[in-house]
Amino acid sequence: MGRVKELTPMLPTAAEIETITPIIKKEFKDHGLEITAMGSHPYGGLIAEARIPVEKIREMRNALFAHGIVLVSAQAGWGFAVCH
């Protein structure tokens, strides 16, 4: 049996941010959630301000992970990583 490649979450590059931003916005909208602010994080990557009810966090993580996007809880909202 072949070895399964392990994916490593990393901060998205500027080009990846352009690609993942519309995906993130669509998934939040499709799940009835509103992003109140979104932009680059000062230390790199992408961050969004949004309220995600506890019962929907797993649902959002799964929906985004299907696109290779990792949802990460951040102090001031939600951060995003991409799988490489």
Side-chain angles (χ1 to χ4, degrees):
M1 197 180 273
R3 207 159 208 241
V4 175
K5 181 184 175 195
E6 290 186 31
L7 297 175
T8 304
M10 302 175 77
L11 289 176
T13 64
E16 289 170 327
I17 287 172
E18 285 185 36
T19 302
I20 67 172
T21 298
I23 296 168
I24 293 166
K25 288 179 178 180
K26 181 182 182 318
E27 288 296 343
F28 269 76
K29 183 179 177 185
D30 289 352
H31 289 87
L33 302 171
E34 179 185 356
I35 296 174
T36 55
M38 186 176 216
S40 298
H41 189 276
Y43 296 111
L46 181 66
I47 194 158
E49 290 179 24
R51 293 192 145 231
I52 304 176
V54 173
E55 63 274 6
K56 282 203 167 205
I57 293 173
R58 180 182 293 230
E59 185 180 319
M60 283 305 303
R61 283 197 168 124
N62 290 340
L64 291 170
F65 193 75
H67 298 281
I69 302 167
V70 180
L71 178 67
V72 182
S73 178
Q75 187 176 12
W78 298 93
F80 304 93
V82 291
C83 293
H84 286 268

